[in-house]
Amino acid sequence: MSISNAAESAIMKLVFQAIAWANYADNAAISPETNIAVALHTADPGDAGTLATNEATYSGYARINVARSVSGWSESNGVVSPVSHIDFPAGTGGSGTVTHFSTGRTGGGAAAALWQGTVVPNIVCGNGVTPRLTTASTLTLD
């Protein structure tokens, strides 16, 4: 069973842009999330995965927080992408190939992964490499 395009769009706007879904959901919590954490993975974290599952471990790696707003994320017909490139810290050593990315709550650790996407082309990480998710990186609710 699927949900309507209008519902897909409203859910993605609520989660990624903090835009209320009229008469269904709003962003009126006492301390709503203001950022969304983005993590890189060396394998698919899977449906049961967290931001820490198969997370990149090259030297210098850290998750990036992106504003939970229209300045951080664009949405069109249930598809979300970053408004600008997301550059992760340059590697200072280590290695690994990034194949996936995920989004979730900020704060580190094994936070639940809300959405996951593939990284195409894959990014071979290591000394001097700055992994980048472009504005063509997408997350879909379908």
Side-chain angles (χ1 to χ4, degrees), residues 38-42 56-64 84-101 119 121-134 137:
V38 182
L40 296 176
H41 304 273
T42 56
T57 58
Y58 69 84
S59 299
Y61 168 77
R63 293 177 189 164
I64 298 296
S84 57
H85 298 317
I86 301 172
D87 289 331
F88 288 80
T92 58
S95 63
T97 301
V98 170
T99 60
H100 292 77
F101 72 102
V119 175
N122 295 166
I123 304 168
V124 178
C125 298
N127 191 30
V129 175
T130 301
R132 169 182 276 178
L133 296 180
T134 70
S137 303

Side-chain angles (χ1 to χ4, degrees), residues 6-120:
E8 291 171 359
S9 182
I11 291 167
M12 295 301 256
K13 285 180 178 180
L14 176 67
V15 173
F16 286 91
Q17 298 175 326
I19 295 174
W21 183 5
N23 302 313
Y24 287 100
D26 60 38
N27 194 45
I30 292 172
S31 297
E33 287 288 314
T34 57
N35 291 299
I36 292 180
V38 182
L40 296 176
H41 304 273
T42 56
D44 186 351
D47 287 347
T50 69
L51 295 184
T53 305
N54 303 320
E55 191 169 16
T57 58
Y58 69 84
S59 299
Y61 168 77
R63 293 177 189 164
I64 298 296
N65 291 332
V66 177
R68 185 175 168 240
S69 68
V70 296
S71 66
W73 302 93
S74 65
E75 186 283 332
S76 179
N77 299 315
V79 178
V80 169
S81 59
V83 169
S84 57
H85 298 317
I86 301 172
D87 289 331
F88 288 80
T92 58
S95 63
T97 301
V98 170
T99 60
H100 292 77
F101 72 102
S102 65
T103 60
R105 289 186 66 147
T106 60
L114 299 178
W115 269 269
Q116 304 162 26
T118 56
V119 175
V120 178

